[in-house]
Amino acid sequence: MDILIFSILTNFLYYCCGKIILPDNKTDFHSQFYIYFIGIFTIAFISLFLNFFIPLNQTINTIIYCIIILIFAIKTKFNFKRKNTKFLLISSSITFLLIIYSNINRPDAGLYHLPYVSLINDSKIIFGASNIHFRFGHISIAQYLSAINNNYLFANNGISIPLASIVSFFYLYFFYDVWKVFKKREAPDLAKFFSLFILIYISFKITRYSSFGNDAVGHLSLFYLISYILNKNVENLNLNKILIISVFIFINKPMLGLVFILPATIFFMKNYFKIKNIFKITFSFPALLLYLWLIKNVIVSGCLVFPIKATCFENLSWVNINEISSVSIEGNAWARGWPDKINNNISMEEFSKNFNWVQAWSKKHLKYILKIIIPFTLFLLGIIFYLKIRLKHNVIKNDKDLNLRLLLSITFSLIGVVSFFLFFPIYRYGYSYIVTLISLLLLTTIKNKINIKKNNKIFKIVFIFCFIVVFGKQIQKIYKNSSQSMWPNIYTFDHKNKIYKKTRFDIGDNFFYYLANNGDRLCMYSAQPCTSYPMNKIKYNQILTYTILEWKD
């Protein structure tokens, strides 16, 4: 039962941190959810900031968590209301179910998720860390949240909890949005229908801990942001909140960076063109985390956004622009279906140009996308068809403010889908754009034609269905994997739990690394720094107490 206990403690810690930042006494569900969200955001900031100066080892992490709880106790006198307790226990139970008897994301967790978490635990930020493993250049904030959750109480198992915790909060958000209509506490408006559609997608596709990787949190955050925009009139939209969510999306999934279109557009819509407002946004909490993240990117990889060449600083000693170009070309080609190419004589660079990749991409990636999107779309069409038949004579008044917010969301998601197809057409990179666009386009067909406020039966049916699917999958997983360890195995992928020895290599007199050159050739969570690739072209340097891994001349 330690998974459940540690899940409760981790989620409680997020609440404590969020409550310190947001001390208001609102107890409604959305306010509670946002307190947890702000807690996660703040701890992410703390972990990132501290790693510039110190490793996030168990001692440091334990002290940080104790300080957070102490400040919370002093400020609130442990004022924990019944609704707070219910949210904590339900979210922790979901966290528990997601983690227990689960695997970790393959193979990315073994290649760079876990090794980077271990690196953060073992050392402060390393200049040129992407030279250890190029994938260290596009790490998610999730790795920092995992690293800071490794303390004396949780030990190494603590790093497995944050990902499941965050996903559990989003589960609760969308389930509860639908539940309110189910119980007739709120009318089923357009925003609630969006939550209904997203809940259907979640139950269909985002249920396995092992598939979350660095993707799920970013995409779920984007769904949450669209839901927030649909729920509020333009006048009531909180620009700082939109910016916080947008920054969190970006630092989880840089390929969703187009999300900044939304706060920028809201800024123009609310006519914030005053020096005071610009100053507030420029030096706001989310902006500071964004700056810190970009600085971290430059230190680790030499690029603001790795491996986009235009954002790289070629004059930095740990930057090899030719290597970055090579990584970029290879990444683009693989995203477009390089292994399935028709012409074996074509180069990777040429393959990615002039839509030479479309035929190869269609053989595998397009089929995969359609396999997911077609059933999802048909399910939504069934709901739309039911509503049109049942309420076809009811007409509602045109809402200009809603039309504006809906147009903004559709335009943004359309730009996202087009960019996804042109630049990174792997489904897991951009599925939130696709799902959002499909959901919103279908919602426009009922927006002004039927009075959806008079119907909640469909919410009851879908809620029960999604509940059974989501939790049925967790029970099935537990039954299927009951012979393995309850905690995700962070040390090896081997079915016999064999941990393969890594070979130590010295670079100069004061630096060494481990090469995973045996067995599965994966570093996993192990002694650091560790890589799956030999570092023959790298030399070690040191300035003050900072390690710099430079390219040899």
Side-chain angles (χ1 to χ4, degrees), residues 105-316:
N105 186 264
R106 297 171 179 258
D108 289 355
L111 278 170
Y112 68 103
H113 296 172
L114 292 171
Y116 199 82
V117 172
S118 184
L119 189 67
I120 298 169
N121 287 149
D122 286 351
S123 64
K124 62 184 174 183
I125 195 167
I126 294 177
F127 286 70
S130 63
N131 294 326
I132 299 172
H133 194 306
F134 72 88
R135 290 182 178 89
F136 286 179
H138 40 76
I139 277 300
S140 162
I141 195 65
Q143 275 68 64
Y144 286 86
L145 288 166
S146 292
I148 202 171
N149 214 48
N150 184 350
N151 52 53
Y152 284 133
L153 180 60
F154 303 162
N156 293 347
N157 283 331
I159 70 174
S160 300
I161 300 174
L163 181 60
S165 290
I166 300 169
V167 172
S168 75
F169 298 150
F170 285 114
Y171 274 15
L172 264 182
Y173 177 87
F174 290 107
F175 263 111
Y176 190 78
D177 238 18
V178 175
W179 170 262
K180 286 185 291 186
V181 180
F182 181 168
K183 300 297 289 184
K184 298 183 179 179
R185 295 178 184 174
E186 291 187 13
D189 57 15
L190 202 69
K192 295 298 182 292
F193 265 94
F194 179 75
S195 290
L196 182 77
F197 288 0
I198 296 305
L199 183 59
I200 291 169
Y201 182 80
I202 287 173
S203 65
F204 178 43
K205 196 61 184 171
I206 312 179
T207 57
R208 291 187 303 113
Y209 177 85
S210 61
S211 68
F212 294 163
N214 282 347
D215 305 310
V217 172
H219 293 300
L220 287 168
S221 299
L222 183 55
F223 294 145
Y224 167 52
L225 178 56
I226 298 298
S227 172
Y228 173 72
I229 291 173
L230 294 177
N231 263 302
K232 300 285 186 180
N233 291 330
V234 171
E235 183 180 346
N236 296 325
L237 287 173
N238 186 320
L239 182 59
N240 191 60
K241 184 173 182 177
I242 292 173
L243 188 58
I244 285 174
I245 302 170
S246 299
V247 169
F248 190 71
I249 291 169
F250 176 74
I251 62 179
N252 272 285
K253 198 68 182 170
M255 290 179 181
L256 298 178
L258 289 172
V259 70
F260 289 113
I261 291 174
L262 294 174
T265 305
I266 299 297
F267 178 87
F268 283 102
M269 290 168 63
K270 293 174 77 72
N271 195 23
Y272 270 21
F273 291 98
K274 294 180 181 179
I275 297 297
K276 181 180 178 181
N277 291 331
I278 295 173
F279 183 84
K280 280 184 178 180
I281 292 171
T282 304
F283 296 97
S284 63
F285 184 28
L288 291 177
L289 178 56
L290 178 61
Y291 303 151
L292 203 63
W293 184 256
L294 294 176
I295 292 170
K296 184 276 301 178
N297 287 351
V298 173
I299 291 175
V300 168
S301 69
C303 307
L304 291 169
V305 181
F306 182 87
I308 300 177
K309 186 177 177 180
T311 70
C312 300
F313 299 87
E314 298 184 36
N315 58 330
L316 297 176

Side-chain angles (χ1 to χ4, degrees), residues 134-135 138 255 306-308 323-339 348-349 351-352 357 361 365 422-426 428-429:
F134 72 88
R135 290 182 178 89
H138 40 76
M255 290 179 181
F306 182 87
I308 300 177
E323 184 71 15
I324 291 172
S325 296
S326 177
V327 169
S328 179
I329 291 170
E330 183 177 346
N332 288 334
W334 277 80
R336 291 169 168 83
W338 170 257
M348 280 188 172
E349 190 170 9
F351 173 78
S352 299
W357 51 273
W361 176 81
H365 293 292
L422 293 177
F423 301 112
F424 44 90
I426 292 181
R428 67 184 180 88
Y429 287 173

Side-chain angles (χ1 to χ4, degrees), residues 111 115-116 119 123 126-137 300 507 511-515 523 528-535 538 547 549 551:
L111 278 170
Y116 199 82
L119 189 67
S123 64
I126 294 177
F127 286 70
S130 63
N131 294 326
I132 299 172
H133 194 306
F134 72 88
R135 290 182 178 89
F136 286 179
V300 168
I507 299 180
F511 184 83
F512 62 87
Y513 73 95
Y514 294 96
L515 179 64
C523 289
Q528 293 296 316
C530 179
T531 179
S532 300
Y533 307 100
M535 294 169 55
I538 306 301
T547 294
L549 300 177
W551 283 90

Side-chain angles (χ1 to χ4, degrees), residues 2-3 6 99 101-102 157-158 160-161 484-489:
D2 55 344
I3 297 179
F6 293 170
I99 292 175
Y101 293 119
S102 290
N157 283 331
S160 300
I161 300 174
Q484 70 180 46
S485 170
M486 288 187 178
W487 284 97
N489 193 329

